[in-house]
Amino acid sequence: MRPVIVVHGGAWAVPDALAEVSVAGVKAATRAGNVTLMRGGGALDAVEVAVRTMEDDPAFDAGHGAVLNTDGEVELDALIMEGRTLATGAVSSVRNIANPVSLARAVMEKTNHVMLSGKGANLFAESIGVPTLPTHALVCEQERKEWEQYKNYDIGVKELFRAQWAHDTVGAVALDSCGNVASATSTGGIRYKMVGRVGDSPVIGSGGYADNRSGAVSCTGHGESILKVTLARLILSHMDRGKAACEAVERSLRYMGERVQGGGGAVAVAPTGDWTACFTTERMAWAAIHGGILHYGLNPREKFKETLK
């Protein structure tokens, strides 16, 4: 089985000022995940590494680049899942944790639960020795300026999402040489969200899903819309019925647009190695590595290739 990794940096109206760093960021994350796969690591390790890379990159709305809620604070959500046993871990409304995707994996591996939220998630992190950062550590200066400029939530979440200052989720899917798939998704949510607001990213079947029998998906876009149609599971239901990854994602995104008028995107990989990165928003930075070729893009129907050295 040839390993595959596919990464996205969020489906939204990425402004030109962030275009180059967003593409560079997803390429770096994909390479990091691919190194893990090439060294014999599993799909779960690969997606965690890829997402951690983006959580550490202030170009993305996750970890160090996360947007601020109404109180000017960072609240983070993340999900990770592996397809062999359907083991899953998730955290929501987490504060002061640099890499919530790794905390989500700890929930999966060290507790009997699937999701921990808020204070409970932070107490769990403390109990297992996960470093807690100072409150200001995850707030980048540019985000503080954006928050000050746009702290008016009256126009509604969908209008915020369509604007070029909305930002969005990061995620990754992978298939390893043993035929196992995995998915991970992480986000800081949407700027000026209500305190405690949780979108699709940490919700199994919405923000992501992984099953060796059908494939792995990581979703991105308008969280409330994704939740309403359980987008990740919807995509895999089409793949279960024999649809190619690209067609499954396109059909599901089209349904979400028609049914609840929501935009978004997803990356997906099938057990056969068939993969895709599709979106209905203005842009989505994405990258994939398969068979020694790095594929990447940002604009609709854009696909560039580089041979790995």
Side-chain angles (χ1 to χ4, degrees), residues 12-80:
W12 61 295
V14 182
D16 291 341
L18 289 177
E20 185 174 344
V21 292
S22 295
V23 172
V26 292
K27 290 168 71 175
T30 307
R31 288 192 184 99
N34 186 61
V35 168
T36 298
L37 292 172
M38 293 301 99
R39 291 177 177 171
L44 190 67
D45 296 324
V47 296
E48 181 185 8
V49 167
V51 169
R52 280 181 64 100
T53 301
M54 292 183 285
E55 288 175 339
D56 292 339
D57 187 338
F60 300 109
D61 178 18
H64 286 86
V67 298
L68 305 181
N69 64 18
T70 52
D71 283 355
E73 298 172 334
V74 169
E75 288 184 307
L76 304 170
D77 306 325
L79 167 73
I80 194 167

Side-chain angles (χ1 to χ4, degrees), residues 288-306:
I289 294 178
H290 186 204
I293 303 296
L294 171 65
H295 308 259
Y296 63 95
L298 176 68
N299 297 302
R301 308 202 178 279
E302 181 177 79
K303 183 186 254 189
F304 299 108
K305 294 182 182 180
E306 292 179 7

Side-chain angles (χ1 to χ4, degrees), residues 102-122:
S102 293
L103 183 58
R105 182 168 180 175
V107 171
M108 179 180 76
E109 296 178 339
K110 299 178 184 294
T111 79
N112 294 319
H113 306 304
V114 166
M115 182 186 291
L116 293 178
S117 66
K119 180 181 178 181
N122 277 97

